Amino acid sequence: MAEGLVDGRAPRTALADGFDRPAPTFEQMSAVADAVLYEGYLLYPYRRSSPKNRARWQFGVLFPRDWVEADDPVNPGVSGSADSWYQQTECLLRVRRPDATVRLRVRYLQLQHKQVEDAERRPVESLTCDDGTVQLTFEEAVPREADLLVPLAEGVRTVRVGAPAGTGGEPLPSGGGRVVRRREEVRASTTLEAERLGADLFRIRVRTANEGRTADPRAPRDQALRQALIATHTLLGAEGAEFVSLIDPGPALQEAARNCHNDFTFPVLGGPPPAVAPEDGSVSALMLSSPIILPDHPQVAPESPGDLHDAGEIDEILTLRTMLLTDEEKREARATDARAAEILDRVDTMPPEVFGRLHGAIRSLGPADRPAPAGRPAWWQEGADDGLSPATDTVLVDGVRVGGGARVRLRPRGRGADAQDMFLVGRTATVAAVFHDVDGSTHLAVTVDDDPAAELHGWYGRFHYFRPDEVEPLGGTDVPDPATAAEPSPGPSPSEA
């Protein structure tokens, strides 16, 4: 049954995994889900005048179809930064009980225009109130979410996930003006479909689509955003069943996982990771399908005291930079948006012990007496790098010596591989260098052959890194071992030329 649309809240239901054990609830994914919802909402220095805050809403944006396809149809892919009118998640569900059900929650932001008006009700860009506070006209957003519960036996269910239009006014102190907030209607629906693949295996398909139409398909993007779903993502929970990782599905389900098609989003397992990795693939009662590519079991660092709306940055750096804003810059940031004001309050009152935790944390420790690789001093000792040359070093892969200039086919291992590396499975690449890590491991730095920016990446050193057992040498890639290669000939002398 559809359980309705709410502003940031929805009915909460505990889940049970495939063995009827208590499983994580959606609340245990709330920190990560909120980070996805507000990623890029407002970037440092959190001021309206900052150029970075003039091009917002970059992930999971679903526009009306007539606007986004005014010139050409959308090009499906997993990239959630590409504009679209729909978002599709496909994942695998292993059923443990005949009465298994799937619960989903669709979340997004609805654009809300904050307009400041003076005492004569005339729109203005900014207004200073009698108490000295400043009000700025700005684009805000309202969180929306809708729930749907579907027994697998029903197969297909659709729920409306749009949001109504609305207008609200707020008088400013001493009758100096007012703030008016306006929202346009967002029309959208989400369909959940369960397709049986085997006796206890289903493919779950979730498709969220913007069903609105614009008055002008050639309108500017800022105008079309008023009818869009922003930062759209989906939470999935199973009762009497468990979701299978598409990153680590296990040998038996690799083909089924490859046949799952995800457009403008990618699903990963939610909740805490298992203490011991399972032998037949990773599973969980929770899944998060996000327009930002994440690993299985994503977590927000416990040391982080709050959202800074830029998960690509380091909390410590952003906190230090925010502390150094001038009083005038902070005044503008506070006037820009309430969430910016919350960040400033948190930074300005942060206790030293909380700030100290932002410097770093040790998640795991290895034995202190680990021996150095044979023939080399330990990495902290003088001379540890002597004789290493990433551009000319080689490593033996399947009996073939591979080094700079060699071509390989990428075969990232399923278990423990980076989620983004999995999208490069089967692609060919060119090795740029061989790097030796401080723990004695070796990695190949490569550029992907069909990447249009491969030459540029090679020029400034932005590589993909793979272990030797994650690549397959291609024919004719054997390069000489510099340790045994003969000195090159100096060439003919002038008298011989």
Side-chain angles (χ1 to χ4, degrees), residues 279-429:
E279 294 295 329
D280 59 346
S282 299
V283 297
S284 174
L286 291 174
M287 182 161 272
L288 167 63
S289 187
S290 164
I292 301 170
I293 295 176
L294 300 169
D296 279 336
H297 307 289
Q299 303 287 322
V300 172
E303 294 80 12
S304 178
D307 201 348
L308 293 166
H309 307 322
D310 193 349
E313 286 287 354
I314 301 171
D315 279 28
E316 182 185 37
I317 293 175
L318 282 182
T319 299
L320 285 169
R321 288 176 173 176
T322 304
M323 287 177 173
L324 294 176
L325 292 175
T326 65
D327 290 341
E328 183 59 32
E329 289 173 327
K330 289 183 178 181
R331 187 166 179 256
E332 182 189 346
R334 291 183 185 279
T336 296
D337 191 88
R339 299 187 73 87
E342 290 175 5
I343 291 173
L344 291 175
D345 290 341
R346 185 170 66 245
V347 168
D348 288 345
T349 60
M350 186 175 293
E353 61 272 17
V354 174
F355 180 75
R357 290 199 294 267
L358 299 183
H359 189 64
I362 298 175
R363 302 292 184 213
S364 61
L365 291 172
D369 57 350
R370 179 182 295 172
R376 292 218 314 267
W379 64 268
W380 63 85
Q381 295 177 335
E382 185 176 356
D385 293 336
D386 291 351
L388 297 181
S389 175
T392 59
D393 284 351
T394 63
V395 62
L396 205 60
V397 180
D398 294 336
V400 178
R401 193 155 291 280
V402 174
R407 294 185 67 245
V408 296
R409 190 174 303 280
L410 304 178
R411 303 292 188 192
R413 61 192 186 280
R415 189 177 303 279
D418 185 277
Q420 298 193 45
D421 287 348
M422 297 305 296
F423 296 112
L424 301 178
V425 171
R427 306 268 286 278
T428 62

Side-chain angles (χ1 to χ4, degrees), residues 7-8 37-38 41 108-112 140-144 183:
D7 294 356
L37 186 66
Y38 286 102
Y41 173 82
Y108 63 93
L109 295 175
Q110 179 187 17
L111 193 70
Q112 176 172 268
E140 302 173 333
V142 177
R144 303 293 192 185
R183 299 178 302 277

Side-chain angles (χ1 to χ4, degrees), residues 107-390:
R107 307 174 80 229
Y108 63 93
L109 295 175
Q110 179 187 17
L111 193 70
Q112 176 172 268
H113 179 67
K114 170 190 171 187
Q115 178 64 60
V116 179
E117 297 179 353
D118 63 17
E120 304 299 324
R121 302 291 177 91
R122 293 173 301 196
V124 294
E125 287 299 306
S126 65
L127 186 68
T128 302
C129 301
D130 292 344
D131 61 359
T133 60
V134 177
Q135 295 287 339
L136 298 178
T137 293
F138 195 61
E139 302 292 350
E140 302 173 333
V142 177
R144 303 293 192 185
E145 61 183 44
D147 278 14
L148 179 64
L149 179 63
V150 180
L152 286 181
E154 291 193 10
V156 181
R157 183 72 69 84
T158 298
V159 61
R160 298 293 173 186
V161 298
T167 301
E170 174 188 346
L172 296 176
S174 304
R178 67 173 185 168
V179 171
V180 179
R181 290 178 168 87
R182 297 183 177 89
R183 299 178 302 277
E184 293 192 15
E185 181 185 15
V186 175
R187 300 182 61 189
S189 68
T190 295
T191 298
L192 185 149
E193 179 180 358
E195 176 188 358
R196 185 181 289 274
L197 300 180
D200 62 349
L201 185 67
F202 284 78
R203 176 163 48 227
I204 302 299
R205 180 180 300 109
V206 179
R207 187 179 178 94
T208 298
N210 189 319
E211 298 177 337
R213 294 185 63 84
T214 59
D216 179 10
R218 297 292 177 179
R221 188 176 190 270
D222 289 348
Q223 184 174 328
L225 279 166
R226 300 172 188 173
Q227 296 175 262
L229 295 79
I230 299 169
T232 313
H233 59 283
T234 305
L235 306 180
L236 290 159
E239 300 183 45
E242 56 198 8
F243 294 101
V244 178
S245 168
L246 296 190
I247 299 173
D248 179 23
L253 295 179
Q254 284 186 0
E255 184 65 26
R258 280 195 293 267
N259 289 332
C260 289
H261 299 289
N262 290 280
D263 295 336
F264 310 104
T265 187
F266 188 76
V268 296
L269 300 183
V276 179
E279 294 295 329
D280 59 346
S282 299
V283 297
S284 174
L286 291 174
M287 182 161 272
L288 167 63
S289 187
S290 164
I292 301 170
I293 295 176
L294 300 169
D296 279 336
H297 307 289
Q299 303 287 322
V300 172
E303 294 80 12
S304 178
D307 201 348
L308 293 166
H309 307 322
D310 193 349
E313 286 287 354
I314 301 171
D315 279 28
E316 182 185 37
I317 293 175
L318 282 182
T319 299
L320 285 169
R321 288 176 173 176
T322 304
M323 287 177 173
L324 294 176
L325 292 175
T326 65
D327 290 341
E328 183 59 32
E329 289 173 327
K330 289 183 178 181
R331 187 166 179 256
E332 182 189 346
R334 291 183 185 279
T336 296
D337 191 88
R339 299 187 73 87
E342 290 175 5
I343 291 173
L344 291 175
D345 290 341
R346 185 170 66 245
V347 168
D348 288 345
T349 60
M350 186 175 293
E353 61 272 17
V354 174
F355 180 75
R357 290 199 294 267
L358 299 183
H359 189 64
I362 298 175
R363 302 292 184 213
S364 61
L365 291 172
D369 57 350
R370 179 182 295 172
R376 292 218 314 267
W379 64 268
W380 63 85
Q381 295 177 335
E382 185 176 356
D385 293 336
D386 291 351
L388 297 181
S389 175

